[in-house]
Amino acid sequence: LENHVIVCGFGRNGKQVCAELANENRQFIIIESNEERLEYIKELKTYLFIDGDATNDDILLKAKIKEAKALITTLPKDPDNVYVVLTAREMNPSITIISRASDESSEAKLKRAGANNVIMPERIGGTHMATLVTKPDIMEFIALITGQAGVSFSFEEFQHEDIKPEYKNKTIKDISIKKQTGATIIGLKSEDGKFHVNPDLSTIVQEKMNIIALGTKEQLEKMKTILLVTKLV
């Protein structure tokens, strides 16, 4: 395992995380100690997993935390998530950490512990339900472009370092990806973390600037073929 994702906990949120990672063909491993959930994972015969407690340092090392690209902790108890975040950040300072939280007071603690993002499913669920009433067409559109409506639209991120030399430091218009693939560049992220939403066609894709594109899976695959350097395995 290398550049993989570690998923701590295979409850309701953990299952959704794993399903999405599998759908995107991302390599991941699950840490779970609940016997019933472990039996379910075994029956699937498709997911890598470790039978153990994610708050145990040795278990995180066994999951190759030092080689991992990201860690997502969805444990039911916030103190356990805080401990996992602290330990993971200490073991791998560059890892991306995303944590679930149940209590609003835990959000600040998790971020101080080293979490890049903290997600509160209950808050998101409530906001989503209210928006279905206040802005139904917008929610339907979001469902469409995120694939929740059964349509194969999706987002993809392209890192500047992986782009072919002929496309570096060129304007979006010069790249002409939409004409070649049908996919659309809807955003750029600069080195300082600033997002440029719906950038002008004259915007130059500069060093260490990531591209965010929208399209069908077929369009995005074509975009990968045209835009990215082929890596030999």
Side-chain angles (χ1 to χ4, degrees):
L1 288 173
E2 191 175 14
N3 289 323
H4 57 292
V5 181
I6 299 172
V7 180
C8 302
F10 195 71
R12 184 176 66 253
N13 298 132
K15 283 182 182 179
Q16 292 176 331
V17 168
C18 293
E20 184 61 27
L21 291 173
N23 186 54
E24 294 292 329
N25 295 315
R26 299 297 175 93
Q27 191 178 42
F28 65 93
I29 186 167
I30 303 162
I31 299 176
E32 179 58 71
S33 59
N34 180 278
E35 291 185 9
E36 185 177 340
R37 291 173 183 169
L38 286 169
E39 284 302 316
Y40 178 82
I41 297 170
K42 291 175 185 177
E43 289 175 5
L44 292 175
K45 297 181 179 179
T46 53
Y47 292 167
L48 291 175
F49 70 93
I50 293 175
D51 179 355
D53 184 350
T55 62
N56 185 312
D57 294 14
D58 291 335
I59 294 296
L60 289 176
L61 289 171
K62 190 175 180 180
K64 303 197 77 173
I65 181 72
K66 294 182 179 180
E67 289 78 26
K69 181 178 182 179
L71 178 142
I72 302 174
T73 178
T74 67
L75 301 178
K77 296 180 180 179
D78 287 356
D80 289 342
N81 286 318
V82 171
Y83 186 85
V84 170
V85 170
L86 272 169
T87 307
R89 180 60 67 205
E90 182 180 351
M91 290 181 169
N92 185 344
S94 63
I95 194 172
T96 298
I97 302 175
I98 301 167
S99 177
R100 173 189 183 276
S102 300
D103 195 326
E104 289 189 10
S105 64
S106 300
E107 185 174 2
K109 295 176 184 177
L110 284 159
K111 288 189 174 180
R112 285 199 302 270
N116 298 90
N117 299 97
V118 178
I119 306 299
M120 298 187 66
E122 290 81 4
R123 180 193 294 171
I124 293 173
T127 302
H128 184 92
M129 286 187 284
T131 309
L132 284 170
V133 174
T134 59
K135 302 173 183 176
D137 290 341
I138 292 176
M139 295 308 295
E140 186 177 347
F141 179 72
I142 292 173
L144 177 70
I145 63 174
T146 56
Q148 297 174 36
V151 182
S152 59
F153 281 99
S154 185
F155 293 97
E156 190 60 70
E157 179 181 340
F158 300 90
Q159 296 186 350
H160 187 276
E161 61 188 34
D162 297 329
I163 297 173
K164 293 177 181 177
E166 59 264 37
Y167 292 115
K168 291 185 176 182
N169 300 311
K170 296 292 181 73
T171 66
I172 294 175
K173 183 178 180 181
D174 290 336
I175 294 174
S176 300
I177 287 297
K178 183 172 177 60
K179 292 181 180 179
Q180 299 178 65
T181 68
T184 304
I185 295 175
I186 63 166
L188 298 170
K189 184 181 180 182
S190 53
E191 186 181 4
D192 61 3
K194 184 179 179 180
F195 283 95
H196 306 269
V197 181
N198 193 24
D200 190 88
L201 292 176
S202 62
T203 304
I204 297 174
V205 181
Q206 300 175 353
E207 191 76 21
K208 296 184 179 179
M209 184 177 277
N210 294 346
I211 295 172
I212 300 170
L214 171 68
T216 65
K217 289 189 176 182
E218 293 76 15
Q219 289 170 342
L220 293 173
E221 283 300 322
K222 188 182 290 186
M223 187 173 178
K224 288 179 184 179
T225 302
I226 294 173
L227 198 63
L228 301 184
V229 174
T230 303
K231 295 183 179 180
L232 298 177
V233 180

